[in-house]
Amino acid sequence: MITSAANRGWPGDVAISDLKTAGLPAPSLVRAAKIATIEAADAQRIGYLPGSDQPQVTQAIRQFLAQALAA
């Protein structure tokens, strides 16, 4: 999930460092604790997650999945 950085932060949130590359108009976060899927036909690409942010997002998702599997 991507959300506005103005919203209250959650553990595991990763700030998006390059809004222009991501195609976002305001400071935003990847909220790794909220994973959702949508039909590809309903999605529109506006940008890309900057490469420098990808390792942090991957690590945050791994941590949440590990916690879920351990529960």
Side-chain angles (χ1 to χ4, degrees):
M1 171 181 173
I2 297 175
T3 188
S4 168
N7 292 325
R8 181 176 49 95
W10 288 22
D13 282 357
V14 178
I16 296 175
S17 64
D18 182 349
L19 298 177
K20 184 176 180 182
T21 297
L24 298 168
S28 299
L29 306 166
V30 174
R31 181 150 292 158
K34 288 218 171 191
I35 298 174
T37 62
I38 63 169
E39 293 293 329
D42 295 331
Q44 178 182 3
R45 183 169 295 181
I46 61 169
Y48 299 88
L49 182 67
S52 59
D53 297 339
Q54 291 177 13
Q56 290 175 283
V57 171
T58 299
Q59 181 60 29
I61 292 170
R62 283 183 177 155
Q63 286 175 347
F64 279 104
L65 290 176
Q67 289 172 3
L69 292 173

